Each structure stands twice: as C-alpha cells, then as structure tokens.
Short mmCIF file of all heavy atoms in Angstrom, two decimals:
data_model
loop_
_atom_site.label_atom_id
_atom_site.label_comp_id
_atom_site.label_asym_id
_atom_site.label_seq_id
_atom_site.Cartn_x
_atom_site.Cartn_y
_atom_site.Cartn_z
N MET A 1 7.87 -17.64 5.99
CA MET A 1 6.43 -17.48 6.17
C MET A 1 5.70 -18.70 5.60
O MET A 1 6.01 -19.16 4.51
CB MET A 1 5.98 -16.20 5.45
CG MET A 1 4.62 -15.73 5.89
SD MET A 1 4.04 -14.23 5.04
CE MET A 1 4.87 -12.94 5.95
N THR A 2 4.74 -19.22 6.36
CA THR A 2 4.00 -20.39 5.90
C THR A 2 2.97 -19.98 4.85
O THR A 2 2.67 -18.80 4.67
CB THR A 2 3.26 -21.06 7.07
OG1 THR A 2 2.23 -20.18 7.51
CG2 THR A 2 4.18 -21.40 8.22
N VAL A 3 2.42 -20.99 4.18
CA VAL A 3 1.39 -20.72 3.17
C VAL A 3 0.18 -20.04 3.81
O VAL A 3 -0.37 -19.08 3.27
CB VAL A 3 0.96 -22.05 2.48
CG1 VAL A 3 -0.21 -21.80 1.54
CG2 VAL A 3 2.13 -22.64 1.72
N GLU A 4 -0.20 -20.52 5.00
CA GLU A 4 -1.34 -19.91 5.70
C GLU A 4 -1.08 -18.45 6.04
O GLU A 4 -1.96 -17.60 5.89
CB GLU A 4 -1.64 -20.67 7.00
CG GLU A 4 -2.44 -21.92 6.77
CD GLU A 4 -2.74 -22.66 8.06
OE1 GLU A 4 -2.59 -22.09 9.15
OE2 GLU A 4 -3.12 -23.83 7.96
N GLN A 5 0.13 -18.16 6.50
CA GLN A 5 0.47 -16.76 6.82
C GLN A 5 0.43 -15.90 5.56
O GLN A 5 -0.02 -14.76 5.60
CB GLN A 5 1.85 -16.70 7.47
CG GLN A 5 1.87 -17.19 8.90
CD GLN A 5 3.27 -17.31 9.46
OE1 GLN A 5 4.21 -17.67 8.74
NE2 GLN A 5 3.42 -17.01 10.74
N ASN A 6 0.91 -16.47 4.44
CA ASN A 6 0.86 -15.74 3.17
C ASN A 6 -0.56 -15.41 2.77
O ASN A 6 -0.86 -14.30 2.34
CB ASN A 6 1.51 -16.57 2.05
CG ASN A 6 2.96 -16.21 1.85
OD1 ASN A 6 3.38 -15.11 2.21
ND2 ASN A 6 3.71 -17.12 1.29
N ILE A 7 -1.45 -16.40 2.92
CA ILE A 7 -2.86 -16.20 2.56
C ILE A 7 -3.47 -15.14 3.47
O ILE A 7 -4.18 -14.25 2.99
CB ILE A 7 -3.63 -17.53 2.62
CG1 ILE A 7 -3.15 -18.45 1.50
CG2 ILE A 7 -5.14 -17.30 2.52
CD1 ILE A 7 -3.63 -19.88 1.61
N ASN A 8 -3.19 -15.23 4.77
CA ASN A 8 -3.72 -14.23 5.70
C ASN A 8 -3.22 -12.84 5.36
O ASN A 8 -3.98 -11.88 5.41
CB ASN A 8 -3.33 -14.59 7.14
CG ASN A 8 -4.15 -15.72 7.69
OD1 ASN A 8 -5.24 -16.00 7.19
ND2 ASN A 8 -3.64 -16.38 8.71
N THR A 9 -1.95 -12.74 5.02
CA THR A 9 -1.39 -11.43 4.64
C THR A 9 -2.09 -10.90 3.40
O THR A 9 -2.45 -9.72 3.33
CB THR A 9 0.13 -11.54 4.38
OG1 THR A 9 0.74 -12.01 5.58
CG2 THR A 9 0.73 -10.21 4.01
N GLU A 10 -2.31 -11.77 2.42
CA GLU A 10 -3.00 -11.34 1.19
C GLU A 10 -4.41 -10.85 1.48
O GLU A 10 -4.85 -9.83 0.96
CB GLU A 10 -3.08 -12.53 0.20
CG GLU A 10 -1.91 -12.60 -0.74
CD GLU A 10 -2.06 -13.76 -1.72
OE1 GLU A 10 -3.17 -13.98 -2.24
OE2 GLU A 10 -1.05 -14.45 -1.93
N ILE A 11 -5.12 -11.59 2.34
CA ILE A 11 -6.49 -11.18 2.69
C ILE A 11 -6.47 -9.84 3.40
O ILE A 11 -7.24 -8.93 3.06
CB ILE A 11 -7.16 -12.26 3.58
CG1 ILE A 11 -7.41 -13.52 2.75
CG2 ILE A 11 -8.47 -11.74 4.17
CD1 ILE A 11 -7.81 -14.74 3.56
N MET A 12 -5.56 -9.69 4.36
CA MET A 12 -5.48 -8.43 5.11
C MET A 12 -5.08 -7.27 4.20
O MET A 12 -5.57 -6.16 4.36
CB MET A 12 -4.49 -8.55 6.28
CG MET A 12 -5.00 -9.40 7.43
SD MET A 12 -6.66 -8.96 7.97
CE MET A 12 -6.40 -7.31 8.59
N ASP A 13 -4.20 -7.55 3.23
CA ASP A 13 -3.79 -6.50 2.29
C ASP A 13 -4.97 -6.01 1.45
O ASP A 13 -5.05 -4.84 1.09
CB ASP A 13 -2.69 -6.99 1.35
CG ASP A 13 -1.34 -7.04 2.05
OD1 ASP A 13 -1.23 -6.52 3.18
OD2 ASP A 13 -0.40 -7.61 1.45
N LYS A 14 -5.90 -6.92 1.14
CA LYS A 14 -7.06 -6.52 0.35
C LYS A 14 -8.07 -5.77 1.20
O LYS A 14 -8.78 -4.90 0.71
CB LYS A 14 -7.73 -7.76 -0.28
CG LYS A 14 -6.93 -8.29 -1.45
CD LYS A 14 -7.57 -9.49 -2.08
CE LYS A 14 -6.70 -10.03 -3.19
NZ LYS A 14 -7.02 -11.40 -3.55
N LEU A 15 -8.13 -6.11 2.48
CA LEU A 15 -9.13 -5.48 3.36
C LEU A 15 -8.66 -4.16 3.96
O LEU A 15 -9.47 -3.29 4.27
CB LEU A 15 -9.48 -6.44 4.51
CG LEU A 15 -10.21 -7.72 4.12
CD1 LEU A 15 -10.38 -8.63 5.32
CD2 LEU A 15 -11.56 -7.39 3.51
N THR A 16 -7.33 -4.01 4.11
CA THR A 16 -6.81 -2.82 4.79
C THR A 16 -6.68 -1.65 3.82
O THR A 16 -5.97 -1.75 2.82
CB THR A 16 -5.43 -3.14 5.41
OG1 THR A 16 -5.56 -4.27 6.25
CG2 THR A 16 -4.90 -1.95 6.21
N LYS A 17 -7.38 -0.58 4.12
CA LYS A 17 -7.31 0.60 3.26
C LYS A 17 -6.14 1.47 3.70
O LYS A 17 -6.04 1.87 4.86
CB LYS A 17 -8.60 1.42 3.35
CG LYS A 17 -9.86 0.64 3.01
CD LYS A 17 -9.87 0.14 1.60
CE LYS A 17 -11.14 -0.64 1.30
NZ LYS A 17 -10.92 -1.84 0.51
N VAL A 18 -5.25 1.74 2.77
CA VAL A 18 -4.13 2.65 3.05
C VAL A 18 -4.61 4.08 2.87
O VAL A 18 -4.41 4.93 3.73
CB VAL A 18 -2.94 2.35 2.11
CG1 VAL A 18 -1.87 3.43 2.24
CG2 VAL A 18 -2.36 0.98 2.43
N CYS A 19 -5.27 4.32 1.75
CA CYS A 19 -5.85 5.65 1.49
C CYS A 19 -7.34 5.56 1.78
O CYS A 19 -8.10 4.99 0.99
CB CYS A 19 -5.58 6.05 0.04
SG CYS A 19 -6.28 7.67 -0.38
N LEU A 20 -7.72 6.11 2.90
CA LEU A 20 -9.13 6.03 3.31
C LEU A 20 -10.02 6.88 2.40
O LEU A 20 -11.12 6.47 2.06
CB LEU A 20 -9.27 6.50 4.76
CG LEU A 20 -8.56 5.64 5.79
CD1 LEU A 20 -8.59 6.31 7.16
CD2 LEU A 20 -9.18 4.26 5.88
N CYS A 21 -9.54 8.03 1.99
CA CYS A 21 -10.35 8.92 1.15
C CYS A 21 -10.75 8.25 -0.16
O CYS A 21 -11.87 8.39 -0.63
CB CYS A 21 -9.60 10.20 0.84
SG CYS A 21 -9.22 11.21 2.27
N LYS A 22 -9.82 7.54 -0.76
CA LYS A 22 -10.07 6.92 -2.07
C LYS A 22 -10.28 5.41 -1.97
O LYS A 22 -10.37 4.74 -3.00
CB LYS A 22 -8.88 7.22 -3.01
CG LYS A 22 -8.77 8.67 -3.41
CD LYS A 22 -9.92 9.04 -4.31
CE LYS A 22 -9.83 10.48 -4.76
NZ LYS A 22 -10.91 10.81 -5.71
N ALA A 23 -10.31 4.88 -0.76
CA ALA A 23 -10.52 3.44 -0.52
C ALA A 23 -9.52 2.59 -1.29
O ALA A 23 -9.87 1.61 -1.95
CB ALA A 23 -11.95 3.04 -0.86
N ILE A 24 -8.26 2.97 -1.22
CA ILE A 24 -7.20 2.21 -1.91
C ILE A 24 -6.62 1.19 -0.93
O ILE A 24 -6.07 1.57 0.10
CB ILE A 24 -6.06 3.14 -2.40
CG1 ILE A 24 -6.58 4.34 -3.19
CG2 ILE A 24 -5.02 2.35 -3.20
CD1 ILE A 24 -7.12 4.07 -4.53
N PRO A 25 -6.73 -0.10 -1.25
CA PRO A 25 -6.21 -1.12 -0.34
C PRO A 25 -4.69 -1.26 -0.40
O PRO A 25 -4.05 -0.89 -1.39
CB PRO A 25 -6.88 -2.40 -0.82
CG PRO A 25 -7.14 -2.17 -2.26
CD PRO A 25 -7.38 -0.68 -2.42
N ARG A 26 -4.14 -1.83 0.66
CA ARG A 26 -2.70 -2.06 0.73
C ARG A 26 -2.23 -2.95 -0.41
O ARG A 26 -1.12 -2.79 -0.92
CB ARG A 26 -2.35 -2.70 2.09
CG ARG A 26 -0.87 -2.77 2.39
CD ARG A 26 -0.60 -3.00 3.85
NE ARG A 26 -1.22 -4.23 4.32
CZ ARG A 26 -1.57 -4.47 5.59
NH1 ARG A 26 -1.34 -3.58 6.51
NH2 ARG A 26 -2.13 -5.61 5.93
N SER A 27 -3.09 -3.89 -0.86
CA SER A 27 -2.71 -4.78 -1.97
C SER A 27 -2.41 -3.97 -3.24
O SER A 27 -1.48 -4.30 -3.98
CB SER A 27 -3.82 -5.80 -2.24
OG SER A 27 -5.04 -5.15 -2.52
N LYS A 28 -3.18 -2.91 -3.47
CA LYS A 28 -2.96 -2.10 -4.67
C LYS A 28 -1.65 -1.31 -4.56
O LYS A 28 -0.93 -1.13 -5.54
CB LYS A 28 -4.15 -1.14 -4.87
CG LYS A 28 -4.15 -0.46 -6.21
CD LYS A 28 -5.48 0.20 -6.50
CE LYS A 28 -5.43 0.90 -7.85
NZ LYS A 28 -6.72 1.54 -8.17
N ILE A 29 -1.35 -0.85 -3.34
CA ILE A 29 -0.09 -0.11 -3.13
C ILE A 29 1.09 -1.06 -3.36
O ILE A 29 2.05 -0.71 -4.06
CB ILE A 29 -0.04 0.44 -1.68
CG1 ILE A 29 -1.24 1.36 -1.38
CG2 ILE A 29 1.30 1.15 -1.42
CD1 ILE A 29 -1.29 2.66 -2.12
N LYS A 30 1.01 -2.27 -2.80
CA LYS A 30 2.10 -3.24 -2.96
C LYS A 30 2.28 -3.63 -4.43
O LYS A 30 3.41 -3.79 -4.90
CB LYS A 30 1.82 -4.48 -2.12
CG LYS A 30 2.05 -4.28 -0.63
CD LYS A 30 1.88 -5.59 0.10
CE LYS A 30 2.29 -5.48 1.56
NZ LYS A 30 2.12 -6.77 2.26
N LYS A 31 1.16 -3.78 -5.14
CA LYS A 31 1.23 -4.15 -6.55
C LYS A 31 1.94 -3.05 -7.34
O LYS A 31 2.79 -3.33 -8.19
CB LYS A 31 -0.19 -4.38 -7.09
CG LYS A 31 -0.26 -4.86 -8.51
CD LYS A 31 -1.70 -5.22 -8.89
CE LYS A 31 -1.81 -5.77 -10.29
NZ LYS A 31 -1.84 -4.76 -11.31
N ALA A 32 1.61 -1.80 -7.03
CA ALA A 32 2.25 -0.67 -7.73
C ALA A 32 3.76 -0.68 -7.48
O ALA A 32 4.55 -0.46 -8.41
CB ALA A 32 1.63 0.65 -7.26
N ILE A 33 4.15 -0.96 -6.24
CA ILE A 33 5.58 -1.00 -5.90
C ILE A 33 6.26 -2.16 -6.63
O ILE A 33 7.33 -2.00 -7.22
CB ILE A 33 5.78 -1.11 -4.37
CG1 ILE A 33 5.24 0.16 -3.69
CG2 ILE A 33 7.26 -1.33 -4.04
CD1 ILE A 33 5.13 0.06 -2.18
N ALA A 34 5.60 -3.31 -6.63
CA ALA A 34 6.17 -4.49 -7.30
C ALA A 34 6.32 -4.25 -8.80
O ALA A 34 7.21 -4.82 -9.44
CB ALA A 34 5.27 -5.71 -7.05
N GLU A 35 5.48 -3.39 -9.35
CA GLU A 35 5.54 -3.12 -10.79
C GLU A 35 6.43 -1.92 -11.12
O GLU A 35 6.46 -1.46 -12.25
CB GLU A 35 4.11 -2.90 -11.33
CG GLU A 35 3.31 -4.20 -11.32
CD GLU A 35 1.85 -4.02 -11.72
OE1 GLU A 35 1.39 -2.87 -11.87
OE2 GLU A 35 1.18 -5.05 -11.86
N GLY A 36 7.13 -1.41 -10.09
CA GLY A 36 8.17 -0.42 -10.40
C GLY A 36 8.03 0.94 -9.75
O GLY A 36 8.94 1.76 -9.88
N ALA A 37 6.92 1.22 -9.10
CA ALA A 37 6.79 2.52 -8.43
C ALA A 37 7.71 2.52 -7.21
O ALA A 37 7.57 1.70 -6.33
CB ALA A 37 5.35 2.76 -8.01
N ARG A 38 8.67 3.43 -7.18
CA ARG A 38 9.68 3.41 -6.11
C ARG A 38 9.68 4.66 -5.23
O ARG A 38 10.48 4.77 -4.32
CB ARG A 38 11.09 3.23 -6.70
CG ARG A 38 11.33 1.85 -7.27
CD ARG A 38 11.32 0.78 -6.17
NE ARG A 38 11.65 -0.52 -6.69
CZ ARG A 38 10.78 -1.37 -7.21
NH1 ARG A 38 9.50 -1.04 -7.25
NH2 ARG A 38 11.15 -2.54 -7.66
N THR A 39 8.77 5.58 -5.52
CA THR A 39 8.67 6.78 -4.70
C THR A 39 7.20 6.97 -4.30
O THR A 39 6.30 6.40 -4.94
CB THR A 39 9.13 8.03 -5.47
OG1 THR A 39 8.25 8.23 -6.58
CG2 THR A 39 10.57 7.89 -5.96
N VAL A 40 7.00 7.77 -3.27
CA VAL A 40 5.62 8.05 -2.84
C VAL A 40 4.85 8.67 -4.00
O VAL A 40 3.71 8.30 -4.27
CB VAL A 40 5.61 8.98 -1.60
CG1 VAL A 40 4.21 9.43 -1.27
CG2 VAL A 40 6.24 8.27 -0.41
N ALA A 41 5.48 9.61 -4.70
CA ALA A 41 4.82 10.29 -5.81
C ALA A 41 4.41 9.29 -6.90
O ALA A 41 3.31 9.38 -7.45
CB ALA A 41 5.73 11.36 -6.39
N ALA A 42 5.30 8.34 -7.19
CA ALA A 42 5.00 7.35 -8.23
C ALA A 42 3.85 6.44 -7.79
O ALA A 42 2.95 6.14 -8.58
CB ALA A 42 6.24 6.52 -8.53
N VAL A 43 3.86 6.03 -6.53
CA VAL A 43 2.78 5.18 -6.02
C VAL A 43 1.45 5.93 -6.09
O VAL A 43 0.43 5.38 -6.52
CB VAL A 43 3.07 4.73 -4.57
CG1 VAL A 43 1.85 4.05 -3.96
CG2 VAL A 43 4.27 3.79 -4.53
N LYS A 44 1.48 7.19 -5.71
CA LYS A 44 0.26 8.00 -5.75
C LYS A 44 -0.25 8.14 -7.18
O LYS A 44 -1.45 8.04 -7.44
CB LYS A 44 0.52 9.38 -5.16
CG LYS A 44 0.65 9.38 -3.65
CD LYS A 44 0.91 10.79 -3.16
CE LYS A 44 0.90 10.86 -1.64
NZ LYS A 44 1.19 12.23 -1.16
N ARG A 45 0.66 8.38 -8.10
CA ARG A 45 0.28 8.58 -9.51
C ARG A 45 -0.36 7.31 -10.08
O ARG A 45 -1.39 7.37 -10.75
CB ARG A 45 1.52 8.95 -10.33
CG ARG A 45 1.23 9.49 -11.71
CD ARG A 45 2.47 10.03 -12.41
NE ARG A 45 3.60 9.12 -12.40
CZ ARG A 45 4.73 9.33 -11.73
NH1 ARG A 45 4.90 10.45 -11.06
NH2 ARG A 45 5.71 8.45 -11.76
N VAL A 46 0.21 6.16 -9.77
CA VAL A 46 -0.27 4.89 -10.32
C VAL A 46 -1.59 4.46 -9.68
O VAL A 46 -2.48 3.94 -10.36
CB VAL A 46 0.80 3.78 -10.14
CG1 VAL A 46 0.25 2.42 -10.50
CG2 VAL A 46 2.03 4.11 -10.96
N THR A 47 -1.72 4.67 -8.37
CA THR A 47 -2.88 4.13 -7.65
C THR A 47 -4.01 5.14 -7.46
O THR A 47 -5.15 4.73 -7.21
CB THR A 47 -2.47 3.64 -6.26
OG1 THR A 47 -2.00 4.74 -5.48
CG2 THR A 47 -1.40 2.56 -6.34
N GLY A 48 -3.70 6.41 -7.51
CA GLY A 48 -4.72 7.42 -7.21
C GLY A 48 -4.77 7.78 -5.74
O GLY A 48 -5.53 8.65 -5.33
N ALA A 49 -3.96 7.10 -4.94
CA ALA A 49 -3.90 7.43 -3.51
C ALA A 49 -3.37 8.85 -3.35
O ALA A 49 -2.59 9.33 -4.16
CB ALA A 49 -2.97 6.45 -2.78
N GLY A 50 -3.83 9.51 -2.31
CA GLY A 50 -3.34 10.86 -2.03
C GLY A 50 -4.12 11.96 -2.71
O GLY A 50 -3.84 13.13 -2.52
N SER A 51 -5.10 11.58 -3.51
CA SER A 51 -5.86 12.60 -4.23
C SER A 51 -7.25 12.82 -3.63
O SER A 51 -8.12 13.38 -4.28
CB SER A 51 -5.99 12.20 -5.71
OG SER A 51 -6.65 10.96 -5.82
N GLY A 52 -7.41 12.38 -2.39
CA GLY A 52 -8.70 12.54 -1.74
C GLY A 52 -8.81 13.83 -0.96
O GLY A 52 -7.97 14.72 -1.09
N ASN A 53 -9.83 13.90 -0.13
CA ASN A 53 -10.12 15.13 0.62
C ASN A 53 -8.99 15.58 1.53
O ASN A 53 -8.81 16.78 1.74
CB ASN A 53 -11.39 14.95 1.45
CG ASN A 53 -12.62 15.05 0.60
OD1 ASN A 53 -12.58 15.58 -0.52
ND2 ASN A 53 -13.72 14.52 1.10
N CYS A 54 -8.24 14.64 2.10
CA CYS A 54 -7.17 15.06 3.03
C CYS A 54 -5.87 15.36 2.30
O CYS A 54 -4.87 15.68 2.93
CB CYS A 54 -6.97 14.00 4.13
SG CYS A 54 -5.95 12.60 3.64
N CYS A 55 -5.88 15.24 0.97
CA CYS A 55 -4.70 15.54 0.13
C CYS A 55 -3.47 14.70 0.53
O CYS A 55 -2.34 15.18 0.43
CB CYS A 55 -4.36 17.02 0.17
SG CYS A 55 -5.69 18.05 -0.43
N GLY A 56 -3.71 13.50 0.98
CA GLY A 56 -2.60 12.61 1.30
C GLY A 56 -2.05 12.74 2.71
O GLY A 56 -1.06 12.09 3.05
N ARG A 57 -2.68 13.56 3.54
CA ARG A 57 -2.16 13.74 4.90
C ARG A 57 -2.16 12.43 5.68
O ARG A 57 -1.24 12.15 6.43
CB ARG A 57 -3.01 14.78 5.64
CG ARG A 57 -2.23 16.00 6.02
CD ARG A 57 -2.94 16.97 6.96
NE ARG A 57 -4.21 16.57 7.48
CZ ARG A 57 -5.39 17.04 7.06
NH1 ARG A 57 -5.42 17.93 6.11
NH2 ARG A 57 -6.51 16.64 7.60
N ARG A 58 -3.20 11.63 5.49
CA ARG A 58 -3.29 10.38 6.25
C ARG A 58 -2.56 9.21 5.57
O ARG A 58 -2.01 8.36 6.24
CB ARG A 58 -4.76 10.00 6.47
CG ARG A 58 -5.45 10.94 7.43
CD ARG A 58 -6.85 10.51 7.69
NE ARG A 58 -7.68 10.66 6.49
CZ ARG A 58 -8.98 10.40 6.44
NH1 ARG A 58 -9.60 9.95 7.50
NH2 ARG A 58 -9.67 10.59 5.34
N CYS A 59 -2.58 9.16 4.25
CA CYS A 59 -2.02 7.97 3.59
C CYS A 59 -0.54 8.10 3.24
O CYS A 59 0.14 7.07 3.11
CB CYS A 59 -2.82 7.61 2.34
SG CYS A 59 -2.96 8.93 1.12
N THR A 60 -0.01 9.30 3.12
CA THR A 60 1.40 9.44 2.74
C THR A 60 2.34 8.72 3.71
O THR A 60 3.22 7.97 3.25
CB THR A 60 1.78 10.93 2.60
OG1 THR A 60 0.96 11.50 1.57
CG2 THR A 60 3.24 11.10 2.24
N PRO A 61 2.17 8.88 5.04
CA PRO A 61 3.08 8.15 5.95
C PRO A 61 2.97 6.63 5.80
O PRO A 61 3.97 5.91 5.92
CB PRO A 61 2.62 8.58 7.35
CG PRO A 61 1.85 9.84 7.14
CD PRO A 61 1.26 9.76 5.77
N LYS A 62 1.75 6.16 5.52
CA LYS A 62 1.57 4.70 5.36
C LYS A 62 2.26 4.21 4.08
O LYS A 62 2.84 3.14 4.04
CB LYS A 62 0.08 4.36 5.33
CG LYS A 62 -0.64 4.63 6.63
CD LYS A 62 -2.07 4.15 6.53
CE LYS A 62 -3.03 5.12 7.17
NZ LYS A 62 -4.42 4.84 6.83
N ILE A 63 2.16 5.01 3.02
CA ILE A 63 2.83 4.63 1.76
C ILE A 63 4.34 4.62 1.97
O ILE A 63 5.03 3.70 1.51
CB ILE A 63 2.43 5.60 0.62
CG1 ILE A 63 0.94 5.48 0.32
CG2 ILE A 63 3.26 5.33 -0.64
CD1 ILE A 63 0.39 6.58 -0.60
N GLU A 64 4.86 5.61 2.69
CA GLU A 64 6.30 5.65 2.98
C GLU A 64 6.73 4.41 3.74
O GLU A 64 7.79 3.83 3.47
CB GLU A 64 6.64 6.91 3.79
CG GLU A 64 6.59 8.18 2.98
CD GLU A 64 6.69 9.44 3.83
OE1 GLU A 64 6.53 9.36 5.07
OE2 GLU A 64 6.90 10.52 3.25
N GLU A 65 5.91 3.99 4.69
CA GLU A 65 6.23 2.80 5.50
C GLU A 65 6.27 1.54 4.62
O GLU A 65 7.18 0.72 4.74
CB GLU A 65 5.18 2.66 6.60
CG GLU A 65 5.52 1.64 7.65
CD GLU A 65 4.42 1.53 8.70
OE1 GLU A 65 3.86 2.56 9.09
OE2 GLU A 65 4.14 0.39 9.09
N ILE A 66 5.29 1.40 3.74
CA ILE A 66 5.25 0.22 2.87
C ILE A 66 6.44 0.23 1.92
O ILE A 66 7.07 -0.81 1.68
CB ILE A 66 3.91 0.16 2.09
CG1 ILE A 66 2.75 -0.01 3.06
CG2 ILE A 66 3.92 -0.99 1.08
CD1 ILE A 66 1.37 0.21 2.45
N LEU A 67 6.78 1.41 1.39
CA LEU A 67 7.97 1.52 0.52
C LEU A 67 9.23 1.12 1.30
O LEU A 67 10.09 0.42 0.78
CB LEU A 67 8.11 2.95 0.01
CG LEU A 67 7.37 3.29 -1.29
CD1 LEU A 67 7.34 4.79 -1.48
CD2 LEU A 67 7.99 2.61 -2.48
N GLY A 68 9.31 1.56 2.56
CA GLY A 68 10.45 1.22 3.41
C GLY A 68 10.56 -0.28 3.63
O GLY A 68 11.65 -0.85 3.55
N ASP A 69 9.41 -0.92 3.89
CA ASP A 69 9.40 -2.38 4.08
C ASP A 69 9.90 -3.08 2.82
O ASP A 69 10.65 -4.05 2.88
CB ASP A 69 7.99 -2.88 4.38
CG ASP A 69 7.50 -2.45 5.75
OD1 ASP A 69 8.34 -1.99 6.56
OD2 ASP A 69 6.29 -2.56 6.00
N TYR A 70 9.46 -2.57 1.67
CA TYR A 70 9.82 -3.19 0.41
C TYR A 70 11.33 -3.11 0.17
O TYR A 70 11.96 -4.06 -0.29
CB TYR A 70 9.08 -2.50 -0.74
CG TYR A 70 9.21 -3.22 -2.05
CD1 TYR A 70 8.35 -4.26 -2.39
CD2 TYR A 70 10.20 -2.87 -2.96
CE1 TYR A 70 8.47 -4.94 -3.58
CE2 TYR A 70 10.33 -3.53 -4.17
CZ TYR A 70 9.47 -4.55 -4.47
OH TYR A 70 9.60 -5.22 -5.66
N GLN A 71 11.93 -1.96 0.52
CA GLN A 71 13.36 -1.77 0.29
C GLN A 71 14.23 -2.59 1.23
O GLN A 71 15.36 -2.90 0.93
CB GLN A 71 13.70 -0.28 0.38
CG GLN A 71 13.24 0.47 -0.87
CD GLN A 71 13.04 1.95 -0.64
OE1 GLN A 71 13.28 2.45 0.44
NE2 GLN A 71 12.59 2.65 -1.66
N GLU A 72 13.65 -2.94 2.40
CA GLU A 72 14.41 -3.74 3.37
C GLU A 72 14.53 -5.19 2.94
O GLU A 72 15.44 -5.89 3.32
CB GLU A 72 13.74 -3.68 4.74
CG GLU A 72 13.98 -2.38 5.46
CD GLU A 72 13.15 -2.25 6.72
OE1 GLU A 72 12.65 -3.27 7.22
OE2 GLU A 72 12.99 -1.12 7.19
N VAL A 73 13.56 -5.68 2.14
CA VAL A 73 13.54 -7.09 1.74
C VAL A 73 14.58 -7.36 0.68
O VAL A 73 14.91 -6.56 -0.11
CB VAL A 73 12.13 -7.50 1.23
CG1 VAL A 73 12.14 -8.93 0.73
CG2 VAL A 73 11.13 -7.33 2.33
S1 FES B 1 -6.25 9.14 2.96
FE1 FES B 1 -5.37 9.29 1.03
S2 FES B 1 -6.00 11.21 0.28
FE2 FES B 1 -6.88 11.07 2.25
#
C-alpha cells in the first residue's frame, strides 16, 4: 500500500461510523483491536459500541468483519 493509500484509509477510518447509534468510527474499533481486543465483546467493552438503541444489531456484523480482516493479516 502506498503512503497516499494509507492516508486515505486513515481518513476514511475516521469518517466511517461502525456503530451508528454511538457514532463510533472504524478508527476507534481498529485501535481497540490493535491494543488487544480480540473478540466482539472485548471491542464493544473498550469502545462502547453496541450499547446504543439497536443493541448492536447493526454494528456487531461490522465489528466481526473488521476482526476477521485483522486476523487474516
Ligand atoms: S449501531 Fe451500534 S448499537 Fe446500534
């Protein structure tokens, strides 16, 4: 990945909300994973994602996908 692609990814990670109810960006989810959260429950506990009105119905699949991407690398 080029430096420009890295910067674009970082910008998009800050702008893209994974948990819409709590306005938690993808960057915060990735940071939690990088700092050791390895399960959906751990990511939710650290970030506060999943505690909104939909009780994680919308963000849980997205968190699982990001965790999956992380484990593939
Ligand atoms: S989108 Fe995360 S709790 Fe609703």
Side-chain angles (χ1 to χ4, degrees):
M1 196 181 279
T2 68
V3 173
E4 279 181 15
Q5 286 172 324
N6 265 337
I7 291 169
N8 284 339
T9 301
E10 270 182 42
I11 292 169
M12 288 310 296
D13 283 350
K14 285 180 183 162
L15 293 175
T16 305
K17 304 297 180 222
V18 171
C19 179
L20 296 171
C21 296
K22 291 291 181 176
I24 310 289
R26 190 162 59 204
S27 57
K28 191 166 179 179
I29 302 292
K30 285 186 172 180
K31 184 173 182 279
I33 295 169
E35 291 174 353
R38 290 294 184 273
T39 64
V40 172
V43 170
K44 286 180 174 179
R45 193 172 50 247
V46 171
T47 63
S51 60
N53 283 341
C54 81
C55 299
R57 243 190 5 256
R58 290 183 292 183
C59 57
T60 299
K62 294 185 221 167
I63 295 169
E64 287 170 346
E65 190 181 321
I66 296 168
L67 272 166
D69 290 347
Y70 189 85
Q71 284 158 2
E72 284 172 18
V73 176

